[in-house]
Amino acid sequence: MATQQHPPPGACPAPMKATSNGSFQGENPLDYALPLIILQICLVVAFTRFLAFLLKPLRQPRVIAEIIGGVLLGPSALGRSERFLNTVFPKKSMTVLETLANIGLLFFLFLVGLELDIKSILRTGKKSLGIALAGITLPFALGIGTSFVLRSTVLKGANQAPLLVFMGVSLSITAFPVLARILAELKLLTTDLGRIAMSAAAVNDVAAWVLLALAIALSSSSSSLIAVWVLLSGAAFVLFAVFVIRPVLSLMARRSPEGEPVKELYVCITLSMVLAASFVTDTIGIHALFGAFVVGIIMPKEGPFAGVLIEKIEDMVSGLFLPLYFAASGLKTNVATIRGATSWGLLLLVILNACFGKIVGTVVVAWSCKVPLRESLALGFIMNTKGLVELIVLNIGKDRKVLNDQAFAILVLMALFTTFITTPILMAIYKPARKGVPYKHRTIQRKDTETEFRILACFHSTRNIPSLINLVESSRGRKRGKLCLYAMHLMELSERSSAIAMVQKARNNGLPFWDKKRDDRDYIVIAFEAYQQLSSVTVRPMTAISALSSIHEDICASAHRKRAALILLPFHKHQRLDGAMESLGHTFHLVNRRALQHAPCSVGIFVDRGLGGTTQVVASEVSYSVVVPFFGGLDDCEALAYGMRMAEHPGIKLTVVKFVAPKGTSLTFGSDAPGVISIDLLRGDNDQSIASKNQESITLEERLVESSQEIAGVLKSMNKCNLFLVGRMAPTAPLMDTKSAEYCSELGPVGCFLASSEFSTTASVVVLQQYNPTLNLHPLVEEEESDDANEVPDTPMGERAQ
């Protein structure tokens, strides 16, 4: 069988054919472009994801793992083996690899442009603008000084003008996407520190691209006149994009209304525009990536069109193609070229100048703007973050022969080091204190019934909003204006770039889905606005954007800050059309468990089976039957208190079923049920008992049961009601097998049975856990010392909830 012939040493390698006939035909697939690039993609993605997993405990952004992975695959580590390098990354394959990597880079920079909102940048305050300018000018000046040192040592004979600009840009740049990721993971993005950092980084990013365009023009031109023509042509392209391309994009965005699918033709036109703009800027001489970046910036951010584009391209680009760019960079990076005292001294000098310029410049200006010293230091280290844009600058510099192998390796290590230290140092010097004043009313059950009842209700999607509003409407009691609802939208912070855009929008608006200036008023806005206008309930929307592993911290901290008495959490399962309960995922399951452990108040887990139907029910049409199974535990008392509050609503009929065991026995029936203090609020000698209320809407039933099966039978006879309120740790035996797949410990022995698919398809359930300060051993909010925490008053009725 004929095999592909290898060229003699010193000859140019023959162009690679695309596909092979297979190994059974005697051909090596790795001698052909397609199978080789597939192997390279799989290897790079698997290796960088493995490194990201190893670095996750250090809370490092994924870009760090991808840079390290690229370096390790190159001649610095694995590539030291000639056999590995010639087999997996032969020189003849580099054209295909770099072409594919750069196509991925083009579309990634289009996504980066979508993240940057020019209107927000133009509205940047004087403080953020001053910090951004200081974070550019001082390190740029130090970069110019460093360029003279490099030119006299490792870059002898280099063109001075482009080297000055390249070094200035590489030391002064701040990676906007990486910075946003770090702030989001440390839960600093929506703080004042995060707001200043994001605004300053956005200004810095735009300035860096302008300076990089200047550097490219200087490095690719043989005369200053040509460089001027390149810059003027680039400016003309930007104007053309603003006045010609943007109206076309706006027209397509307007013709893609909310709720309707975006036409495939519009997506195709936009992606083609990205490639065409890249071709134009490459023809001009300022690199193809600028065209993609400009199209991303001028893209209309309003409406669903931008979001659809992101969804269609980000996973493929960020997950598969972008890591190839880091691999291509790593193959150019040979750490072994840094040898001798001079080279290591230059590496130390570059790192010191980069850190000193960014940190000192930022700290001095921030402190002069009356930012506290600790926050100013934190801001300095945040602004010192490098990342992908830094690598782009360095790769262009190397391709244009401005940087040699040794200088390139030094600057790559500088970028890696400055980004790697950001998170650990930031966590060490700046820990935003989660402190709060102690407050009194942390439970539904309380002596002072005239105080405001505050609920923090969480939801993942619009699916539960009608039922949630109906539940809140049933909870407002008989006195108007005594209930305040904080509606918290739980949004997962993913690795996607669109997640950062979402966080940025949340930071800019403050009230992400309550912005009355928006034209695309979505369902959430309409639902909550309508409810607030038609009821006497005060509604305050909130958003928690975090990784699901730590989103419970946002929930608990917000509940403490808003002095909530009850946190309502959605159950991690939802009911399908056939009535079966389907899980949303184990991570949502763990969110509820963690919130129960750390909550500063009572918690209710809401198992939604369509309370009130699929639409919001107005107050005059509320007509629900509510059942409270009462076993006598502390959580049962909380469920009873909630039920009695609901019974004040004229449309609610409350039935309390008190379960009693035969004399001499308990409701645990010999099982290993947890011991809970038994309290009976059903007697008439308590001022909060049902007997003292004497309301016609409340019915009390007492059932003598001799086994857990009898308890289950009594509950099944009432499964046609609208809502069950039950205590989480009821002092009774479990009503279903604890080893069953449907058993959830956070619902307790009775709640699991009520939430099972076999029990009911119509009765919603709220499982309540009463706040117990003795069990909250690790609170997430540190309370300030007070002489008597129990005497700290709640918010007066006249004060508006913030």
Side-chain angles (χ1 to χ4, degrees):
M1 295 295 176
T3 58
Q4 184 166 313
Q5 298 296 320
H6 294 280
C12 295
M16 298 181 73
K17 294 182 179 179
T19 58
S20 72
N21 293 319
S23 57
F24 289 111
Q25 301 295 326
E27 295 180 350
N28 182 3
L30 297 184
D31 289 334
Y32 296 84
L34 182 61
L36 182 58
I37 194 67
I38 291 173
L39 175 65
Q40 291 170 344
I41 291 174
C42 294
L43 176 63
V44 169
V45 171
F47 189 57
T48 54
R49 290 290 175 143
F50 175 70
L51 290 177
F53 174 77
L54 294 180
L55 293 174
K56 192 173 183 179
L58 300 178
R59 305 185 79 168
Q60 293 292 334
R62 198 173 74 194
V63 66
I64 288 291
E66 290 172 336
I67 294 174
I68 294 176
V71 172
L72 293 180
L73 288 172
S76 301
L78 295 176
R80 296 177 70 87
S81 168
E82 290 290 335
R83 184 175 181 180
F84 170 81
L85 205 60
N86 292 331
T87 302
V88 183
F89 296 104
K91 289 184 178 180
K92 60 184 178 181
S93 72
M94 295 311 295
T95 301
V96 176
L97 175 65
E98 293 190 4
T99 300
L100 196 58
N102 277 281
I103 289 176
L105 180 65
L106 294 181
F107 285 108
F108 181 79
L109 287 171
F110 170 66
L111 296 178
V112 173
L114 278 176
E115 291 178 5
L116 288 173
D117 188 354
I118 292 296
K119 293 179 181 178
S120 297
I121 294 175
L122 294 176
R123 292 195 302 266
T124 299
K126 293 181 179 179
K127 183 188 298 185
S128 298
L129 183 61
I131 291 171
L133 293 177
I136 295 173
T137 52
L138 182 56
F140 194 91
L142 290 175
I144 292 176
T146 306
S147 69
F148 286 104
V149 178
L150 291 176
R151 193 165 183 266
S152 64
T153 51
V154 298
L155 287 175
K156 293 180 179 179
N159 193 342
Q160 184 67 58
L163 180 61
L164 291 176
V165 184
F166 267 107
M167 287 303 302
V169 172
S170 62
L171 265 64
S172 62
I173 206 165
T174 296
F176 178 82
V178 181
L179 178 144
R181 169 67 52 191
I182 292 174
L183 289 175
E185 291 188 349
L186 295 182
K187 300 185 183 299
L188 297 174
L189 202 50
T190 54
T191 63
D192 288 339
L193 180 69
R195 177 184 57 79
I196 296 173
M198 287 287 282
S199 298
V203 175
N204 189 296
D205 217 24
V206 173
W209 286 110
V210 174
L211 292 172
L212 180 58
L214 174 62
I216 293 174
L218 291 174
S219 64
S220 59
S221 304
S222 56
S223 67
S224 57
L225 182 61
I226 294 178
V228 171
W229 275 112
V230 169
L231 291 175
L232 290 176
S233 300
F237 166 76
V238 172
L239 294 175
F240 177 83
V242 171
F243 293 106
V244 179
I245 299 179
R246 179 176 169 79
V248 177
L249 294 173
S250 299
L251 177 64
M252 291 188 292
R254 287 195 302 270
R255 292 187 175 182
S256 304
E258 189 77 40
E260 295 184 12
V262 175
K263 292 183 179 179
E264 183 269 342
L265 177 63
Y266 293 169
V267 176
C268 181
I269 291 174
T270 305
L271 298 184
S272 299
M273 280 184 177
V274 173
L275 295 175
S278 301
F279 174 79
V280 171
T281 53
D282 189 78
T283 303
I284 291 173
I286 52 173
H287 207 282
L289 58 88
F290 279 95
F293 182 69
V294 169
V295 174
I297 285 184
I298 65 173
M299 183 78 195
K301 308 301 190 290
E302 301 81 11
F305 188 44
V308 169
L309 287 170
I310 291 172
E311 290 177 3
K312 287 185 177 295
I313 66 176
E314 67 176 341
D315 287 341
M316 180 70 74
V317 169
S318 301
L320 290 181
F321 295 141
L322 194 61
L324 291 181
Y325 189 81
F326 294 100
S329 299
L331 292 170
K332 301 175 186 176
T333 307
N334 190 356
V335 178
T337 59
I338 307 176
R339 54 180 180 267
T342 302
S343 295
W344 288 106
L346 288 174
L347 174 61
L348 182 62
L349 174 67
V350 170
I351 291 176
L352 288 177
N353 281 351
C355 295
F356 181 83
K358 271 288 184 184
I359 296 170
V360 172
T362 302
V363 169
V364 169
V365 174
W367 198 29
S368 65
C369 293
K370 299 182 180 179
V371 177
L373 182 59
R374 185 181 294 270
E375 292 190 9
S376 298
L377 283 172
L379 199 56
F381 280 99
I382 290 172
M383 295 298 292
N384 197 34
T385 303
K386 310 294 183 185
L388 174 65
V389 182
E390 174 79 6
L391 280 188
I392 293 172
V393 173
L394 299 181
N395 274 282
I396 294 174
K398 191 172 190 306
D399 293 341
R400 301 298 169 95
K401 309 299 182 182
V402 178
L403 303 174
N404 60 16
D405 290 347
Q406 192 172 357
F408 181 78
I410 288 173
L411 292 171
V412 167
L413 291 183
M414 178 272 293
L416 186 61
F417 177 80
T418 53
T419 306
F420 190 89
I421 65 172
T422 299
T423 300
I425 292 181
L426 190 59
M427 293 175 65
I429 67 174
Y430 183 74
K431 296 179 180 179
R434 279 185 166 164
K435 294 184 178 181
V437 296
Y439 66 103
K440 185 176 180 180
H441 297 300
R442 299 171 182 262
T443 61
I444 305 170
Q445 183 184 352
R446 59 184 69 176
K447 293 182 179 179
D448 187 2
T449 58
E450 297 299 316
T451 54
E452 185 178 50
F453 180 40
R454 295 187 171 194
I455 298 177
L456 176 66
C458 305
F459 59 94
H460 299 296
S461 66
T462 59
R463 180 198 304 268
N464 304 114
I465 290 178
S467 298
L468 181 63
I469 291 178
N470 293 335
L471 178 63
V472 172
E473 169 60 28
S474 306
S475 310
R476 62 181 177 88
R478 66 179 182 272
K479 295 187 178 179
R480 301 176 67 83
K482 291 294 181 108
L483 175 61
C484 180
L485 170 66
Y486 293 96
M488 175 175 277
H489 193 179
L490 304 181
M491 306 178 78
E492 181 182 7
L493 178 68
S494 68
E495 289 287 347
R496 294 178 171 183
S497 57
S498 58
I500 298 300
M502 175 180 65
V503 174
Q504 185 187 2
K505 184 180 291 186
R507 178 187 60 80
N508 290 337
N509 294 341
L511 304 175
F513 55 87
W514 195 268
D515 186 4
K516 296 181 179 180
K517 295 180 181 179
R518 289 177 55 185
D519 296 326
D520 55 327
R521 297 163 60 83
D522 56 22
Y523 178 72
I524 299 177
V525 177
I526 297 171
F528 282 107
E529 266 194 343
Y531 178 58
Q532 179 168 246
Q533 292 172 0
L534 296 174
S535 71
S536 57
V537 176
T538 304
V539 182
R540 292 290 179 265
M542 303 169 66
T543 300
I545 306 174
S546 184
L548 291 182
S549 59
S550 61
I551 203 167
H552 67 283
E553 299 176 8
D554 301 76
I555 296 171
C556 296
S558 297
H560 194 288
R561 187 169 62 251
K562 303 303 181 184
R563 289 174 285 181
L566 176 65
I567 298 174
L568 278 177
L569 298 171
F571 189 42
H572 72 280
K573 296 180 181 180
H574 68 91
Q575 184 169 268
R576 299 193 312 231
L577 293 177
D578 60 0
M581 300 298 289
E582 183 179 43
S583 176
L584 297 174
H586 185 60
T587 50
F588 291 98
H589 189 191
L590 295 177
V591 169
N592 290 354
R593 286 189 177 184
R594 297 187 186 107
L596 285 168
Q597 293 174 355
H598 300 285
C601 60
S602 293
V603 180
I605 297 180
F606 182 32
V607 183
D608 179 24
R609 290 193 177 106
L611 181 64
T614 58
T615 58
Q616 175 188 335
V617 178
V618 297
S620 60
E621 296 179 3
V622 169
S623 180
Y624 303 143
S625 60
V626 180
V627 175
V628 178
F630 188 84
F631 299 89
L634 291 172
D635 294 343
D636 285 11
C637 296
E638 192 74 347
L640 179 60
Y642 197 18
M644 288 193 292
R645 181 180 182 90
M646 284 187 170
E648 297 175 2
H649 196 293
I652 302 292
K653 298 296 182 183
L654 176 67
T655 301
V656 181
V657 183
K658 179 183 179 182
F659 289 91
V660 180
K663 191 173 183 180
T665 62
S666 70
L667 292 170
T668 59
F669 305 115
S671 69
D672 295 330
V676 180
I677 300 175
S678 182
I679 298 177
D680 196 347
L681 290 184
L682 305 185
R683 299 175 301 174
D685 58 351
N686 190 298
D687 61 354
Q688 295 187 56
S689 67
I690 286 182
S692 66
K693 298 297 181 184
N694 192 26
Q695 294 185 31
E696 294 181 358
S697 60
I698 301 178
T699 302
L700 173 60
E701 299 180 10
E702 189 170 299
R703 298 294 182 94
L704 179 67
V705 290
E706 298 182 355
S707 66
S708 57
Q709 289 77 16
E710 290 190 15
I711 297 176
V714 173
L715 293 174
K716 281 185 178 179
S717 67
M718 300 181 172
N719 66 358
K720 300 301 181 184
C721 70
N722 300 102
L723 179 67
F724 278 95
L725 302 175
V726 62
R728 176 178 177 238
M729 300 305 293
T732 183
L735 304 186
M736 62 186 299
D737 186 4
T738 56
K739 296 181 181 179
S740 170
E742 285 198 285
Y743 189 84
C744 301
S745 60
E746 70 272 18
L747 297 185
V750 181
C752 288
F753 176 68
L754 299 177
S756 62
S757 299
E758 293 77 14
F759 178 76
S760 175
T761 58
T762 58
S764 298
V765 184
V766 176
V767 180
L768 289 141
Q769 172 183 279
Q770 187 181 69
Y771 173 70
N772 189 342
T774 61
L775 299 180
N776 193 7
L777 301 178
H778 304 287
L780 295 175
V781 178
E782 180 183 348
E783 292 189 348
E784 298 172 351
E785 294 184 3
S786 175
D787 295 335
D788 189 353
N790 290 326
E791 295 303 321
V792 176
D794 256 352
T795 305
M797 289 302 302
E799 182 181 331
R800 298 286 290 176
Q802 297 298 320

